[in-house]
Amino acid sequence: MGEKYGEEILTVFSMLMDDAVDDELRKTSPVPKGKKQRRGRYKKKPRERKREMRIEDVHQLACNALTFWGLDGYVFVWTMATTGMRPAGLYSLQRLYSHPFWPASDPLNDPAERDREERHEEDLERYGPDLMPAIRVQWQHQREDGVLKPFPPKYESRRTLVIPPFLAELLELLLASHDSEYVFRSIGGGLLTNANFTYKYWRPIADGRAASKEFERTRPGQRQTVISRRPLPEIPATAYAGNRLYLVRHGAKEWTDEAGGTHAPIAVETRMGHEVAGVEGLYSNVTTAMERRIMDSPRWPCRVVETAGQSRPAGCLMYWFMKFISTKRFMPFVYYRIAVGIVIIVLVSMGALSPHAAESAG
């Protein structure tokens, strides 16, 4: 029983004893006097209004994250949207527990997991690059006496999350681009857990921000016009402007539920990190077939970055472009843009192309 739960029981008992004293059934209350509990009519807390998590909105979030944060941000958004992982788990996700390395790379170093050897044998038969790609939720970071330490995930919900093929490809791409111990790095390359994620990352990604502007400064005694060390273009606001990051996690269950009863409750709740009570939790088990249905769900954005109105080739083109620039130099793309610009200028000067063609087409 948790400490908070015990306090709640003591509070109710104290109120019962106070009533007994008021009704002259007892002379005094055995509960030590503390803060007087307020009574009155129960008022239900207003619930946050949720909206449908649309794939085009998540795509915009991912593109904003790509602009503001880099490839880490792009993959971070899609990982949360398709797995429902809690933010703390994503911040501290190690490459050892991520596709394509897990489960072969599992260090089996969690002393609280008594059956880890047996679990690992089953994982090797069930998951992997040639089987079902997956992520293992094993740790999250918390501070103890000011020191950052690994702790079990919330509710001790150690679990395996199968992932759709497109996310497996993105994780391979991301992990091939750096050699950090952790999957998702901060903008500076450090530990994401140490960042004020909500303020420094989520707000500009969800709310948008203006483009970086030049500013004046004096160094030393000389007036200079400079721009940010990390200049950014304008980032548009999204459907999540002003809302919490957790709504993306909630949307992952929404997408899973959209399969129309295809997925067993035990598979969905376990995936979200919840313990299922009653007969369902006692007798049911997450089978390979259940996980494969989740992995192959047609609801996942297998179109990679397709938005409403875009075709699949356009989405794939963006993906392959990111893959190219992560492993090759960016200059070929620059040369391509310059060449296209020269061709357009020549066509306009020859009268073969109207400078207002785009306006008339719109």
Side-chain angles (χ1 to χ4, degrees), residues 1 3 8 22 43 58 77 103 120 127-128 145 156-157 159 195 200 247 257 259 273 276 325 352:
M1 181 175 68
E3 181 179 348
E8 292 174 353
D22 292 341
K43 292 184 179 180
V58 178
V77 170
H120 183 55
Y127 311 107
D145 299 327
E156 298 195 1
S157 56
R159 61 196 186 279
K200 294 289 187 180
L247 292 185
D257 290 342
V276 182
I325 64 174

Side-chain angles (χ1 to χ4, degrees), residues 12 28 53 95 115 127 205 209 221 236 252 254 265 286 329 332 341:
V12 174
T28 60
M53 187 167 84
R95 70 165 56 223
D115 62 342
Y127 311 107
I205 290 172
R209 50 157 285 168
E254 175 186 308
V286 181
R329 296 181 62 209

Side-chain angles (χ1 to χ4, degrees), residues 132-153:
M132 289 191 295
I135 293 172
R136 178 72 182 173
V137 180
Q138 192 78 23
W139 301 103
Q140 68 175 8
H141 282 135
Q142 291 182 11
R143 294 193 181 277
E144 185 178 68
D145 299 327
V147 180
L148 205 61
K149 296 181 179 180
F151 282 81

